[in-house]
């Protein structure tokens, strides 16, 4: 089985969120199962040039002009080099994104032909790769890709890759496709629709999110299309990368620990508090709440800002690491001014600190409005840190509430400040009972979120398409 895997971000080379993590780990897990995977991704400035081998180039002809991409190979990866498009300080959000990601999508297919890789499956991810699905379905490509079947994975449906309809002409797409059943979305060209409409199979990153996106509440305007394609759509829960996220091996931690040496987690808690200049006694210290993530509406930052005072007033400490919208940065700074001895925010993307927070916190808070899968709650479970989550998407699928047998965390349902406050109250009560707290931590640590299970499901899906 040969799989061409196309993604705009692949950890550890590039990452803005969960897409990068998944695109790094899933192909690796597939390879371990004996699948032959070639991963194609842009050569971003963050990719180290070490060991890259020149594998020729491809030139694509667009109505706006030719685009040449150089293929740099480092098995099992092919990086597409195109300085005018990919040598930028941010991956997305540029005026020419339609051209950039059309070139990437078409370039990835052309690269596989150039290299002589004949895939059984082309697996594309999120809007930046949507046009690859359209190209395959419409026979835009030449014969060596003709027998390939296609899989498109939705990591986040909210990002639709929508561009002015002029892009249809600019990219040379046939206007007959500009319909509600095709790539038209609110009178724009939508790259994600090219994936959703034309891929042979659709997946998303958790079973609950697969259901939610078929409803008007969770469908971002695409629920009708997804209901029509429901037999082609399934949810496969992401795994986590246990090379990166293993509390026993994690190089970023002040003290490494496992379920058998859980007491050593305490060293990380004090290291985290020291790092942030927060003081706590060694004995009978207060609980530490934390979170890491994009400061975006999706993540429920407004709920967090409104509900945290309840926990802080009750004596808890809290730290937040994140980057994103200015209004949330302001909100966090204001909270820090109000609670200088209890609350700290670090604004920035800091991978080591994310690990230190996972290891040091007692509770990890994810009050998301929606959450396709979410990775941090699974990292938390591995690290003996109790997740407090809103019961949506992958959060619903991965955390077992305190009220249930085998509890691993705390869940709340309503997207409301009061609901999160009540969840914090339950957390404080749990923390006050060290035996119960320990049991919940250990239960979480025993869960298996390795990529092996997910990879087996993807492999079965590929096989069913052949
Ligand atoms: P999303 O993809 O919606 O951003 P996920 O939970 O699926 O959310 O994945 C986010 C990933 O990015 C996690 O690995 C998380 O630790 C990481 N991350 C997000 N923001 C930061 C940050 N400011 N510093 C370090 N890591 C971050």
């Amino acid at each position: 089985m040969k799989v061409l895997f196309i993604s705009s971000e692949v950890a550890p080379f590039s990452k803005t969120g969960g897409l990068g993590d998944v695109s790094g780990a899933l192909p690796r897990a597939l390879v371990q199962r004996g699948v032959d995977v070639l991963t194609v991704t842009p050569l971003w400035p963050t990719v180290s040039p070490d060991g890259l081998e020149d594998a020729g180039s491809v030139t694509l002809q667009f109505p706006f002009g030719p685009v040449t991409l150089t293929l740099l190979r480092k098995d099992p990866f092919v990086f597409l080099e195109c300085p005018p498009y990919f040598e930028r300080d941010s991956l997305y959000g540029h005026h020419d994104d339609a051209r950039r990601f059309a070139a990437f999508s078409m370039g990835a297919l052309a690269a596989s032909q150039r290299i002589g890789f004949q895939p059984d499956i082309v697996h594309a991810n999120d809007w930046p790769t949507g046009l690859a699905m359209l190209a395959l379905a419409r026979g835009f490509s030449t014969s060596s890709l003709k027998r390939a079947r296609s899989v498109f994975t939705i990591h986040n449906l909210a990002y639709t890759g929508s561009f002015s309809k002029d892009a249809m002409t600019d990219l040379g797409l046939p206007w007959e496709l500009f319909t509600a059943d095709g790539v038209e979305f609110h009178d724009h060209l939508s790259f994600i629709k090219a994936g959703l409409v034309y891929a042979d199979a659709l997946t998303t990153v958790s079973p609950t999110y697969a259901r939610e996106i078929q409803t008007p509440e969770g469908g971002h305007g695409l629920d009708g299309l997804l209901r029509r394609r429901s037999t082609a759509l399934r949810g496969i829960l992401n795994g986590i990368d246990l090379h990166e996220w293993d509390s026993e091996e994690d190089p970023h931690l002040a003290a490494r620990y496992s379920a058998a040496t859980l007491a050593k987690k305490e060293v990380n808690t004090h290291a985290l508090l020291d790092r942030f200049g927060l003081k706590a006694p060694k004995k009978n210290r207060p609980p530490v709440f934390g979170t890491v993530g994009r400061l975006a509406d999706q993540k429920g930052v407004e709920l967090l800002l409104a509900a945290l005072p309840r926990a802080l007033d009750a004596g808890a400490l809290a730290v937040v690491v994140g980057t994103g919208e200015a209004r949330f940065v302001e909100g966090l700074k204001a909270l820090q001014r109000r609670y200088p001895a209890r609350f700290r925010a670090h604004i920035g993307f800091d991978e080591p600190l994310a690990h230190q927070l996972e290891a040091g916190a007692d509770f990890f808070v994810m009050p998301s409005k929606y959450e396709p899968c979410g990775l941090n709650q699974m990292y938390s479970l591995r690290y003996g840190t109790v997740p407090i989550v809103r019961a949506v998407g992958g959060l619903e699928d991965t955390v077992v509430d305190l009220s249930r047998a085998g509890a691993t965390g705390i869940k709340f349902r309503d997207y409301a400040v009061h609901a999160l406050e009540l969840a914090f109250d339950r957390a404080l009560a749990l923390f006050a009972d060290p035996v119960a707290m320990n049991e919940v931590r250990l239960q979480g640590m025993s869960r298996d979120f390795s990529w092996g299970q997910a990879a087996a499901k993807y492999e079965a899906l590929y096989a069913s398409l052949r």
Side-chain angles (χ1 to χ4, degrees):
M1 172 97 68
K2 287 185 187 301
V3 178
L4 178 68
F5 192 88
I6 311 178
S7 182
S8 55
E9 39 188 288
V10 177
F13 307 106
S14 57
K15 160 174 160 177
T16 68
L19 172 63
D21 285 319
V22 175
S23 303
L26 172 59
R28 209 181 312 139
L30 286 165
V31 167
Q32 273 174 5
R33 300 184 59 82
V35 181
D36 185 2
V37 187
L38 183 72
T39 298
V40 184
T41 191
L43 188 84
W44 301 114
T46 48
V47 181
S48 151
D50 295 345
L52 297 183
E53 278 175 29
D54 195 323
S57 67
V58 293
T59 298
L60 307 168
Q61 301 296 339
F62 288 102
F64 62 81
V67 176
T68 296
L69 302 129
T70 305
L71 282 50
L72 296 171
R73 194 164 179 176
K74 184 181 188 179
D75 276 342
F77 304 100
V78 172
F79 297 95
L80 299 184
E81 181 183 46
C82 182
Y85 280 173
F86 303 143
E87 229 172 87
R88 307 234 178 133
D89 55 7
S90 60
L91 275 58
Y92 316 111
H94 300 278
H95 72 282
D96 54 353
D97 276 2
R99 288 183 179 185
R100 296 169 74 225
F101 290 103
F104 170 55
S105 296
M106 312 300 276
L109 298 179
S112 123
Q113 290 181 295
R114 174 79 174 77
I115 286 176
F117 185 82
Q118 286 201 10
D120 302 294
I121 301 289
V122 176
H123 188 160
N125 297 276
D126 271 357
W127 74 263
T129 60
L131 287 188
M133 304 286 90
L134 167 61
L136 272 183
R138 298 279 301 192
F140 282 46
S141 56
T142 55
S143 55
S144 76
L145 284 165
K146 230 167 38 194
R147 66 190 182 93
R149 309 301 306 279
S150 59
V151 177
F152 185 74
T153 297
I154 304 158
H155 298 261
N156 192 335
L157 189 65
Y159 298 90
T160 56
S162 291
F163 303 99
S164 153
K165 62 184 170 192
D166 304 339
M168 293 294 292
T169 306
D170 195 48
L171 300 176
L173 297 173
W175 276 99
E176 77 212 41
L177 305 182
F178 196 74
T179 63
D181 294 339
V183 295
E184 187 263 330
F185 188 53
H186 298 302
D187 205 34
H188 282 62
L189 159 63
S190 161
F191 277 22
I192 205 168
K193 279 196 77 181
L196 301 180
V197 171
Y198 295 101
D200 294 318
L202 302 175
T203 73
T204 188
V205 291
S206 70
T208 295
Y209 192 60
R211 284 191 296 277
E212 288 169 349
I213 57 179
Q214 296 180 59
T215 67
E217 302 75 49
H220 301 278
L222 294 162
D223 47 295
L225 165 59
L226 290 167
R227 282 195 299 277
R228 283 197 296 284
R229 296 225 59 194
S230 65
T231 53
L233 168 66
R234 74 187 68 178
I236 300 176
L237 191 69
N238 284 338
I240 57 173
D241 189 341
L242 298 176
H243 299 285
E244 287 288 317
W245 293 93
D246 177 357
S247 58
E248 271 183 278
E249 304 280 342
D250 192 330
H252 303 300
L253 305 192
R256 290 178 264 286
Y257 61 97
S258 65
T261 58
L262 187 54
K264 286 202 273 180
K265 182 170 164 44
E266 192 65 16
V267 177
N268 294 297
T269 304
H270 285 281
L272 181 73
L273 295 176
D274 285 347
R275 160 85 164 68
F276 279 97
L278 293 173
K279 293 199 172 40
K282 287 268 185 286
K283 269 197 178 158
N284 291 325
R285 65 164 177 83
V288 178
F289 292 72
T291 193
V292 179
R294 290 184 293 117
L295 302 174
D297 191 51
Q298 175 200 337
K299 300 293 178 183
V301 190
E302 59 175 341
L303 282 198
L304 185 70
L305 288 170
L308 257 186
R310 166 88 145 224
L312 298 173
D313 287 335
L317 302 170
V319 288
V320 173
V321 176
T323 52
E325 291 177 37
R327 59 185 169 133
F328 296 135
V329 171
E330 275 319 305
L332 289 168
K333 286 184 175 161
L335 198 62
Q336 187 169 290
R337 283 194 296 274
R338 188 171 150 199
Y339 293 94
R342 304 235 176 106
F343 176 73
R344 287 292 151 83
H346 173 88
I347 307 304
F349 196 98
D350 189 330
E351 187 89 38
L353 186 54
H355 287 245
Q356 288 150 10
L357 192 148
E358 284 288 5
D362 298 301
F363 296 99
F364 194 99
V365 194
M366 296 179 77
S368 304
K369 226 176 219 174
Y370 68 93
E371 194 61 74
C373 178
L375 296 169
N376 279 308
Q377 81 281 11
M378 291 189 272
Y379 303 153
S380 300
L381 291 168
R382 290 290 303 175
Y383 278 55
T385 303
V386 178
I388 299 174
V389 302
R390 180 152 178 261
V392 287
L395 301 174
E396 166 75 339
D397 295 337
T398 50
V399 177
V400 181
D401 184 67
L402 278 188
S403 59
R404 298 289 182 86
T408 59
I410 294 171
K411 277 175 161 173
F412 66 100
R413 239 158 245 290
D414 293 345
Y415 189 80
V417 175
H418 189 58
L420 180 54
E421 285 178 338
L422 288 180
F424 285 155
D425 290 350
R426 296 176 73 204
L428 293 166
L430 177 64
F431 190 80
D433 180 347
V435 175
M437 178 78 187
N438 209 44
E439 209 169 290
V440 176
R441 288 193 205 264
L442 290 174
Q443 191 67 244
M445 292 180 94
S446 72
R447 289 297 157 105
D448 178 8
F449 293 113
S450 60
W451 265 104
Q453 301 182 50
K457 289 181 182 158
Y458 280 103
E459 194 183 355
L461 171 65
Y462 299 156
S464 75
L465 291 171
R466 275 217 287 185

